[in-house]
Amino acid sequence: MHFAVQVSRVSKHYRKKVAFEDISIEIQTGEIYGLIGPDGSGKSSLMQAIAGVLTYNSGDLCVFDTLIDSEKSAEKIKHRIGFMPQGLGLNLYPDLSIEENIDFFANLRGVSSDLLQQRKEMLLSVAKLTPFKTRPMKNLSGGMKQKLGLVCTLIHQPELIILDEPTTGVDPISRRDFWEMLNRLVMDEGMTALVSTAYMDEASRFNRLSVMHQGKVLVQGRADDIIAKSPGWVVEIETSQPSVVLARLKVKFETVEQLGQMIRLVIFDQEKDVIESILKEQLGSEEHQWYFLPIGLEEFFIHHLKNHSSSAAKRLQNPSYPISQSPTDKDRVNTDEPLIQADNLIRRFGDFIAADQVTFEVRPGEIFGLLGANGAGKSTVIKMLTGILPPTDGAGFVANQNMAHSGMAIKESIGYMSQAFSLYLDLTVLENIKLFGRIYGLSGERLQERIDWVIDVGHLQSVQNEPAGSLPMGKRQRLALGCALIHQPKVLFLDEPTSGVDPIGRSEFWRILVNLASEWGVAILITTHYMLEAEHCHRLALMQAGKIVAYDTPVNLKQTLKQQKGQVLSVNVSHPYRALSCLQKAGYDNLSLFGNRLQLFSKTVSKTKNDVVNVLKNNQIEIKDTMVLQPSLEDVFVDRIETALAKHELR
């Protein structure tokens, strides 16, 4: 067994601050190795040390059997490494076209003209960027920027690529394309990849991984093996009475939450038949349907942190949000009328139609999800509904007022958190909150009361005198949410509010949103690329090319896909790349690779399972286990968007 990277008891300190400490990992040649963990866990610093761009204080770090202990030794192997830093397109030049960016990086790396042409054509084809190669980088969607960044990182044919959260802020379609591209290149060229991610569902795509927290590795190995150390189940319950079911199950289970019209349980260390018995006892003979799903890395990660003495874990175990106090009748939104209405909204920019006859409504106490690929028109719709952008045609109503000619009075009923961090980085947390309070006309005791509320609800007491720009992403987003809520709006617009936020931060953020909707009656419209978050929404609208292509509850959308395409067969194999190749040769085209698992849809899952097992056994590939899964919202997203794209191409 040969290792591309060997890290032995390596530590990095910035004066009194620990970036990472006593880290030991080994990355095998030809594998995709992952780093997962919350903000500030040390992932980026460790990757920079391996890339040779950051010195470390102690320990041994070898890359391709070369000890990296000085700038001189790092220079010896840099030509064999490709490094893509965190941030959408931050390693690219906005005014250069796709092709010009690639040529620039090729020249920088000394790639010969013959090899450049050959690799450029291949990489553009794999990345599906060939038709857009003359387009300036600044005009690309987030997904296209990340694929171009990967192409530029790969242009000199590196043996090791280091990718720091390459898919943060990227939609599920582009994320899937990105991973298919990476898997193909690792399989075809024998590359090794070190990748970090904030998306826990994405971590299942790694061959092996390390879970990091507070600068240390908590656990490492294959995803399935890590999860097996804390056996458990996720149970999704479809019911017409979610609040009743929630109350009954809270008596018996610790981790129970309502996700739209569905109840979700996360249960560790209990047998399936015991859980079934409790469910039947608590829910009686009423009509409820439930599914048992395997524990994922996100559930494992949050559960594991509860066994550590971090403040984040303590908050998850014992949340004490002031917002959880029951609101008075004066505070609660008391109306059954829709608080947000989009009525055939159209927005053109010259010949380009960004929003095309968009229609939906959001009622008090409802969380409504607006989903779509990068550039689908979601942010344009929000800007029209908030009065920032006038519609070309159609109308948008918020709190029964037409936003096209509403005054400041109606805008005071709206809270808006934009896609970009919209606060003032040089001001302290407290100064930002005061500023937004005064902008909304608060003063005196009322202002102080709301400042205290924002600090408490966001758990910002320890950082209230620190500049907003110095906060980790999770705290920044809670500050931004608090500032959007300081004037107690009836309606809240959130544009990708948790992009780049770790699971702990997302969990805290959503506790606040669910309580705002259920207890205070706030109508919430949210966009997100994270499909586990979309499960919290009561209803969803999927957008593609400015149009709504699906509009229903998460449960109904998944059920419809199940009827159309069947269930998901997931097979855990010993040699995933060889298994993928064998099954493709046998005629299985729509395969997805998730680390050591192969997944595909089937309406006749038992027969497909037998056929797949026979193909793999005939090729001497060991099958470690098989699972039958229900379609996920990400499956729904990919299917609906691809169907819409295919219809558009046929016209």
Side-chain angles (χ1 to χ4, degrees):
M1 186 179 296
H2 192 263
F3 295 104
V5 178
Q6 291 174 289
V7 179
S8 178
R9 307 199 68 175
V10 173
S11 299
K12 172 65 180 178
H13 300 167
Y14 297 101
R15 295 182 181 175
K16 293 182 179 180
K17 183 180 178 182
V18 176
F20 54 83
E21 190 168 34
D22 203 27
I23 299 290
S24 295
I25 60 172
E26 291 182 323
I27 302 174
Q28 298 170 17
T29 301
E31 76 171 335
I32 301 179
Y33 196 96
L35 295 177
I36 64 174
D39 299 322
S41 62
K43 303 187 303 294
S44 294
S45 296
L46 178 58
M47 297 179 98
Q48 289 167 15
I50 293 171
V53 298
L54 180 72
T55 59
Y56 53 93
N57 298 108
S58 61
D60 294 320
L61 196 163
C62 292
V63 178
F64 300 123
D65 298 322
T66 300
L67 181 64
I68 309 301
D69 58 356
S70 65
E71 188 175 334
K72 185 177 180 181
S73 62
E75 286 297 325
K76 292 178 183 177
I77 50 91
K78 280 189 179 176
H79 66 285
R80 302 172 71 181
I81 294 177
F83 179 45
M84 184 171 160
Q86 191 177 132
L88 281 174
L90 290 186
N91 61 329
L92 304 174
Y93 293 87
D95 292 322
L96 297 184
S97 68
I98 285 178
E99 189 166 29
E100 288 167 341
N101 264 289
I102 297 170
D103 290 344
F104 174 82
F105 279 92
N107 290 330
L108 199 65
R109 290 290 196 168
V111 180
S112 68
S113 57
D114 290 343
L115 180 60
L116 169 59
Q117 196 58 35
Q118 174 191 334
R119 282 194 66 74
K120 183 163 59 176
E121 288 179 8
M122 184 273 290
L123 290 170
L124 283 172
S125 174
V126 172
K128 302 176 184 176
L129 292 175
T130 303
F132 314 102
K133 62 183 181 181
T134 59
R135 184 179 295 183
M137 172 268 183
K138 63 185 176 185
N139 294 337
L140 302 179
S141 69
M144 293 171 77
K145 285 177 183 176
Q146 290 304 76
K147 287 191 285 186
L148 173 58
L150 182 56
V151 168
C152 292
T153 303
L154 293 167
I155 193 64
H156 65 294
Q157 209 164 2
E159 297 167 60
L160 169 66
I161 54 171
I162 300 171
L163 311 174
D164 193 0
E165 296 195 9
T167 57
T168 293
V170 175
D171 66 78
I173 291 276
S174 297
R175 280 210 309 275
R176 190 205 56 175
D177 287 347
F178 189 96
W179 277 101
E180 285 184 358
M181 179 182 176
L182 184 59
N183 276 315
R184 176 174 166 181
L185 291 166
V186 169
M187 183 168 61
D188 293 348
E189 300 187 356
M191 283 190 319
T192 304
L194 174 61
V195 187
S196 67
T197 182
Y199 297 103
M200 292 294 119
D201 59 335
E202 209 171 63
S204 62
R205 292 182 178 271
F206 301 133
N207 299 121
R208 293 186 304 132
L209 59 97
S210 288
V211 179
M212 294 186 67
H213 180 59
Q214 294 181 342
K216 293 182 179 291
V217 170
L218 297 183
V219 62
Q220 56 187 337
R222 289 161 51 113
D224 286 343
D225 294 338
I226 289 173
I227 292 169
K229 293 177 182 178
S230 298
W233 296 96
V234 174
V235 185
E236 293 184 350
I237 304 169
E238 296 177 3
T239 175
S240 59
Q241 301 174 300
S243 58
V244 174
V245 172
L246 180 69
R248 290 180 185 175
L249 295 183
K250 273 187 173 180
V251 177
K252 292 290 184 178
F253 299 106
E254 180 184 353
T255 306
V256 189
E257 60 180 340
Q258 181 177 340
L259 277 66
Q261 293 299 109
M262 180 180 72
I263 300 300
R264 190 171 189 265
L265 307 174
V266 179
I267 306 162
F268 287 89
D269 302 319
Q270 282 197 37
E271 296 296 329
K272 186 176 179 180
D273 56 350
V274 174
I275 300 169
E276 283 265 20
S277 176
I278 296 172
L279 290 175
K280 289 174 183 176
E281 177 189 326
Q282 293 301 113
L283 302 183
S285 59
E286 296 167 32
E287 286 296 317
H288 305 288
Q289 190 169 13
W290 55 72
Y291 302 101
F292 280 78
L293 307 173
I295 288 288
L297 275 168
E298 178 141 344
E299 291 82 27
F300 168 85
F301 183 79
I302 292 174
H303 176 72
H304 202 72
L305 284 194
K306 288 182 179 180
N307 298 324
H308 291 73
S309 58
S310 69
S311 58
K314 286 180 180 177
R315 288 200 301 272
L316 283 174
Q317 286 177 300
N318 300 298
S320 56
Y321 300 127
I323 197 168
S324 65
Q325 297 170 359
S326 298
T328 64
D329 289 338
K330 175 177 169 290
D331 294 324
R332 189 183 287 108
V333 178
N334 292 308
T335 176
D336 291 327
E337 295 296 317
L339 287 176
I340 305 173
Q341 287 178 282
D343 186 7
N344 286 308
L345 281 175
I346 297 174
R347 176 65 201 197
R348 295 188 181 92
F349 295 95
D351 294 332
F352 177 69
I353 303 176
D356 190 357
Q357 295 183 312
V358 173
T359 300
F360 61 82
E361 65 179 31
V362 186
R363 294 184 174 276
E366 183 177 16
I367 302 176
F368 185 88
L370 196 57
L371 310 181
N374 296 103
K378 306 182 300 296
S379 296
T380 300
V381 169
I382 287 181
K383 287 175 181 175
M384 286 190 284
L385 288 170
T386 52
I388 295 172
L389 194 66
T392 305
D393 202 354
F397 300 89
V398 176
N400 295 317
Q401 299 290 319
N402 190 322
M403 291 305 299
H405 44 73
S406 62
M408 185 63 191
I410 184 58
K411 291 182 180 178
E412 289 175 355
S413 297
I414 295 172
Y416 175 48
M417 189 172 160
S418 68
Q419 194 170 359
F421 183 61
S422 55
L423 304 180
Y424 295 88
L425 301 183
D426 293 335
L427 296 183
T428 67
V429 168
L430 195 56
E431 288 167 343
N432 266 290
I433 300 170
K434 284 182 180 177
L435 174 63
F436 275 80
R438 286 172 178 153
I439 287 173
Y440 283 110
L442 302 178
S443 61
E445 289 184 10
R446 180 60 176 156
L447 174 59
Q448 189 57 52
E449 177 187 315
R450 297 303 296 167
I451 289 171
D452 293 342
W453 181 88
V454 170
I455 290 172
D456 284 342
V457 81
H459 287 283
L460 300 169
Q461 294 89 339
S462 62
V463 295
Q464 59 184 305
N465 295 315
E466 293 184 18
S470 69
L471 301 181
M473 183 64 74
K475 286 184 178 177
R476 279 196 198 187
Q477 297 302 77
R478 294 203 302 275
L479 170 60
L481 177 63
C483 289
L485 291 169
I486 194 166
H487 56 300
Q488 287 186 281
K490 300 175 184 177
V491 177
L492 186 57
F493 292 93
L494 305 171
D495 197 0
E496 293 184 31
T498 60
S499 181
V501 178
D502 63 72
I504 298 294
R506 282 200 305 272
S507 181
E508 292 179 317
F509 195 93
W510 273 96
R511 283 180 189 272
I512 299 170
L513 296 188
V514 169
N515 197 279
L516 280 168
S518 62
E519 297 296 323
W520 297 68
V522 176
I524 300 174
L525 189 153
I526 187 167
T527 71
T528 180
H529 288 320
Y530 197 64
M531 294 299 103
L532 287 179
E533 284 189 345
E535 296 277 10
H536 284 281
C537 299
H538 297 92
R539 287 182 300 148
L540 298 170
L542 271 65
M543 289 187 69
Q544 171 60 27
K547 288 181 175 291
I548 289 180
V549 296
Y551 183 38
D552 211 331
T553 66
V555 168
N556 288 347
L557 288 169
K558 289 186 289 185
Q559 192 62 34
T560 299
L561 182 61
K562 182 179 176 180
Q563 292 167 357
Q564 293 172 344
K565 296 182 69 173
Q567 295 170 292
V568 179
L569 176 65
S570 177
V571 186
N572 186 357
V573 295
S574 56
H575 300 285
Y577 295 119
R578 190 153 63 87
L580 178 65
S581 178
C582 291
L583 288 172
Q584 286 174 336
K585 287 176 183 174
Y588 293 93
D589 297 325
N590 298 315
L591 289 163
S592 298
L593 185 59
F594 290 80
N596 300 296
R597 286 189 171 277
L598 293 166
Q599 293 190 178
L600 70 158
F601 270 94
S602 174
K603 282 188 174 181
T604 55
V605 72
S606 296
K607 180 181 182 304
T608 302
K609 176 182 172 181
N610 290 333
D611 293 344
V612 166
V613 167
N614 287 333
V615 170
L616 296 176
K617 283 184 175 177
N618 290 338
N619 286 276
Q620 288 75 52
I621 295 170
E622 180 189 353
I623 300 163
K624 304 205 170 183
D625 68 69
T626 60
M627 293 190 298
V628 178
L629 308 175
Q630 303 304 313
S632 67
L633 267 184
E634 182 156 331
D635 295 325
V636 171
F637 184 101
V638 171
D639 179 74
R640 290 299 183 101
I641 300 301
E642 284 190 336
T643 300
L645 286 169
K647 286 180 180 177
H648 181 74
E649 288 169 1
L650 290 172
R651 286 175 186 165

